[in-house]
Amino acid sequence: MIGNQTKGKSFRGLLEYLENREDSSLIGGNMFGRNARELSREFRLSRQLNPEALKVVHHVSLSLSPGEQLDNDTWCEIAEKYMEAMGYISNQYAIYRHSDRDHDHIHICASRISLDDGKITSDSWEYVRSEKNHSPARARIWFTADY
């Protein structure tokens, strides 16, 4: 599994991008919204908890190798476990699946602001932790043990 992550300022901009790609579908997350506009409105709840924070949008893409394929439920389970492993315990997130490339992949749009206390989820060593948590070995552990 290959991962990529970035931070940004605009939930609406990222959500519009994710929703408007060809062969895009919202497959999961922990939010009620069913489209970019509704999700953006919902993300405002966490934004209001820490209005001074700058880069509050966390964007992760997780990709399989060409030829590999997962169903939506499995992708959602991987995304949930990835978010937990990265420390996003009480954070809002939405999962989009794109089928516009030769490799199966998802995008996670998450708030870095915790709903529990309004604090920013630490990004210390985030890239290293991400590499560790989306490796093929980690994926096998997630599906063979009670992680």
Side-chain angles (χ1 to χ4, degrees):
M1 192 173 306
I2 300 167
N4 185 28
Q5 58 184 322
T6 58
K7 293 182 204 73
K9 298 178 183 178
S10 171
F11 288 109
R12 184 70 183 263
L14 175 58
L15 291 165
E16 290 286 346
Y17 163 77
L18 296 176
E19 185 173 278
N20 291 324
R21 296 290 294 190
E22 188 176 329
D23 295 323
S24 172
S25 57
L26 177 63
I27 64 167
N30 61 2
M31 302 173 71
F32 294 106
R34 298 286 58 162
N35 59 51
R37 173 179 265 153
E38 291 173 5
L39 289 168
S40 181
R41 235 181 269 132
E42 207 171 329
F43 272 119
R44 270 191 239 144
L45 297 173
S46 64
R47 189 74 178 106
Q48 291 170 351
L49 294 174
N50 193 336
E52 291 83 31
L54 296 177
K55 293 199 173 185
V56 298
V57 179
H58 184 68
H59 175 203
V60 178
S61 62
L62 299 174
S63 305
L64 297 176
S65 297
E68 294 181 327
Q69 198 78 14
L70 295 174
D71 61 39
N72 287 344
D73 290 339
T74 304
W75 267 126
C76 288
E77 188 175 345
I78 287 172
E80 180 181 340
K81 290 183 179 191
Y82 176 88
M83 295 300 288
E84 288 173 8
M86 293 297 292
Y88 289 81
I89 307 301
S90 298
N91 303 62
Q92 297 169 304
Y93 68 94
I95 308 163
Y96 279 86
R97 184 175 188 172
H98 286 174
S99 302
D100 60 336
R101 302 265 165 95
D102 66 343
H103 58 277
D104 195 13
H105 66 284
I106 60 167
H107 295 264
I108 305 169
C109 174
S111 173
R112 294 185 59 227
I113 301 171
S114 171
L115 293 175
D116 284 345
D117 57 14
K119 292 182 180 177
I120 297 287
T121 301
S122 173
D123 62 355
S124 178
W125 295 91
E126 193 167 71
Y127 290 97
V128 174
R129 286 185 290 135
S130 178
E131 289 296 316
K132 175 184 166 194
N133 285 306
H134 75 259
S135 70
R138 173 63 67 191
R140 281 193 296 278
I141 291 168
W142 283 342
F143 293 106
T144 59
D146 196 14
Y147 184 73

